[in-house]
Amino acid sequence: GGDNSTCVNYSTEIQPIFTANCSSCHIASTRNNLSLSNYSSITSGNSSNGPVILAGDHANSLLWQKVNSGLMPPSGQLTTDQINLIATWIDEGARDN
């Protein structure tokens, strides 16, 4: 559609979650070959188990599975709002916006 105001914004809503919560392992280093430092790294990110994001399908996206299960980040679970935001972003096509 022409109006994207209701869509999740990657740069202001998604990247700050990764920067705040995932940076020690996935930005400073690339644990499991996954860097969450920027959009191109995230969308090209192949963990040891394959791609971490399947655009349009959050339930089968490894990144969402890890945060939703509480496995990631190991320092403490993301909030429900953050997890839902990531799911919505993926379902909307995981766009760079």
Side-chain angles (χ1 to χ4, degrees):
D3 179 18
N4 292 326
S5 61
T6 57
C7 294
V8 176
N9 185 281
Y10 167 76
S11 58
T12 62
E13 297 181 86
I14 298 298
Q15 183 59 51
I17 296 174
F18 298 149
T19 301
N21 297 284
C22 318
S23 57
S24 58
C25 294
H26 293 297
I27 293 178
S29 68
T30 52
R31 189 74 53 86
N32 287 338
N33 297 317
L34 176 62
S35 171
L36 298 176
S37 57
N38 59 59
Y39 180 81
S40 60
S41 295
I42 292 166
T43 50
S44 67
N46 289 319
S47 71
S48 45
N49 301 308
V52 296
I53 290 179
L54 296 174
D57 186 1
H58 79 268
N60 283 306
S61 294
L62 187 64
L63 185 145
W64 180 83
Q65 292 173 357
K66 294 288 191 187
V67 297
N68 187 60
S69 66
L71 285 172
M72 292 289 156
S75 56
Q77 196 164 0
L78 298 181
T79 68
T80 302
D81 285 347
Q82 289 172 321
I83 293 167
N84 290 340
L85 201 63
I86 291 169
T88 301
W89 173 68
I90 294 171
D91 287 346
E92 289 174 352
R95 287 179 305 208
D96 184 7
N97 56 5

